[in-house]
Amino acid sequence: MEVTMTAEEQKERTARSYKLILLFAMISMTMMFAGLTSAFVVSKSRVDWLKDFELPTAFYISTIVIIGCSVTFYLAKKAIEKNNQNRTTMMLLATLVLGVLFVISQFAGFNQIIESGYYMTGQGSSITVTFLYIIAFVHLLHLAGGLISLLIIIYNHFKQKYNSTQTLGIELGAMYWHFLDLLWVLLFLFLYFFK
């Protein structure tokens, strides 16, 4: 006996599959950062660990900026659910601008670290700073994936592929961005309190 699905059932099954794949990817990323932060904690017992190292002020700014990304992406999702195309466009573009500002502020933070006389490798390097660079840079690599997906979402939005009944791309993008935002906030708090 052959079981047939309606188009709506097929659409729901596809959406669940994509969300599950994204969830597995986010879990694996979380495990990677758990490993990095565990190594950070273990390395704190080294004699060359910097006890008085302060996070650059640009990292505080970038934390506020990335929280703004979550807000604008959430508002874009809500706008498309109401078929408000103009507001969706405005919120998606705002998320893109804030995402780029986050990247710029992260590199400004790296420059502040260098100006303080600390380097990732070589003379003047410290295991403390090396861990900070690695954690922030790996997060930036994942954020690059988020920016690429956001550009694809914006492109598809301009091609009129999203509306109140077809929001899957924006939903997946929002899930990933919220994950990246939460991840950075947790990493920032970890680096702030466990330095």
Side-chain angles (χ1 to χ4, degrees), residues 149-181:
S149 68
L150 180 58
L151 288 170
I152 293 168
I153 290 167
I154 291 170
Y155 173 79
N156 286 337
H157 175 65
F158 282 124
K159 298 287 266 177
Q160 303 291 315
K161 292 190 177 182
Y162 303 121
N163 57 50
S164 61
T165 61
Q166 176 51 33
T167 62
L168 181 61
I170 292 178
E171 284 180 54
L172 292 171
M175 278 177 64
Y176 186 65
W177 270 89
H178 293 325
F179 167 75
L180 288 174
D181 297 353

Side-chain angles (χ1 to χ4, degrees), residues 87-123:
R87 182 148 175 88
T88 303
T89 301
M90 187 173 66
M91 290 298 108
L92 288 174
L93 291 174
T95 305
L96 179 63
V97 168
L98 289 171
V100 170
L101 283 174
F102 176 81
V103 173
I104 291 168
S105 64
Q106 290 284 284
F107 280 102
F110 295 154
N111 285 336
Q112 287 176 348
I113 293 169
I114 292 168
E115 288 169 1
S116 298
Y118 299 111
Y119 300 92
M120 183 175 169
T121 60
Q123 195 169 7

Side-chain angles (χ1 to χ4, degrees), residues 25-26 28-30 32-33 36 102-103 134-149 176-177 179-180 183 187:
M26 292 186 302
S28 67
M29 288 179 231
T30 301
M32 181 184 59
F33 280 102
L36 284 172
F102 176 81
V103 173
I134 290 170
I135 290 171
F137 190 74
V138 170
H139 183 266
L140 278 173
L141 288 176
H142 289 93
L143 192 97
L147 286 171
I148 291 168
S149 68
Y176 186 65
W177 270 89
F179 167 75
L180 288 174
L183 181 62
L187 288 170

Side-chain angles (χ1 to χ4, degrees), residues 39-51 125-128 130-131:
F40 184 95
V41 170
V42 169
S43 296
K44 281 182 65 172
S45 62
R46 291 173 51 129
V47 292
D48 59 344
W49 192 262
L50 297 175
K51 306 281 187 220
S125 69
S126 159
I127 190 69
T128 311
T130 302
F131 265 113

Side-chain angles (χ1 to χ4, degrees), residues 62-94:
S62 67
T63 302
I64 294 166
V65 169
I66 204 163
I67 291 169
C69 286
S70 263
V71 171
T72 55
F73 221 134
Y74 172 80
L75 293 173
K77 185 174 166 276
K78 287 298 175 192
I80 199 65
E81 289 170 353
K82 295 177 182 173
N83 269 332
N84 188 337
Q85 298 289 335
N86 290 334
R87 182 148 175 88
T88 303
T89 301
M90 187 173 66
M91 290 298 108
L92 288 174
L93 291 174

